[in-house]
Amino acid sequence: MKESENIDDEGDDGFWSGGSFVQSISKEEMEKKNRTIHMKNNEEMDYACKRCKVKISAHNKDWHGGMCDDCFNKEIFSED
Ligand SMILES: [Zn+2]
């Protein structure tokens, strides 16, 4: 009875050719981020916090808005 279940009719590339959910972020960007998400936040301390200039890791750069943990928390919890 479900007439909408005909996704497979167009072939295997039907799902990926649309790609609406990958448009906002490039494949390269995603791979870069996937690399750092599993890193510890004291690995690759090659970056600087954009607020207080303390050294931060690649993980913090990608996942904490380019900030150290302190600044990141302040940014998140600052309501005013
Ligand atoms: Zn900071």
Side-chain angles (χ1 to χ4, degrees):
M1 292 295 279
K2 287 186 180 177
E3 292 179 6
S4 60
E5 288 189 355
N6 60 357
I7 296 170
D8 291 332
D9 289 356
E10 297 300 319
D12 290 334
D13 62 351
F15 179 75
W16 296 106
S17 60
S20 57
F21 73 98
V22 293
Q23 280 174 359
S24 59
I25 185 164
S26 72
K27 190 164 172 285
E28 275 182 19
E29 194 76 8
M30 201 61 226
E31 283 171 357
K32 263 162 70 181
K33 286 204 157 201
N34 277 339
R35 187 179 72 90
T36 57
I37 193 172
H38 296 298
M39 288 170 66
K40 299 188 181 80
N41 59 7
N42 61 358
E43 276 183 73
E44 271 190 41
M45 306 290 284
D46 293 334
Y47 306 93
C49 172
K50 68 181 181 184
R51 293 185 79 177
C52 70
K53 307 301 181 196
V54 78
K55 277 193 174 244
I56 63 168
S57 63
H59 175 93
N60 277 42
K61 182 182 78 71
D62 282 352
W63 298 97
H64 293 202
M67 290 174 280
C68 67
D69 290 341
D70 282 349
C71 292
F72 183 67
N73 287 335
K74 281 176 199 162
E75 184 104 338
I76 297 265
F77 295 116
S78 63
E79 296 291 334
D80 47 41

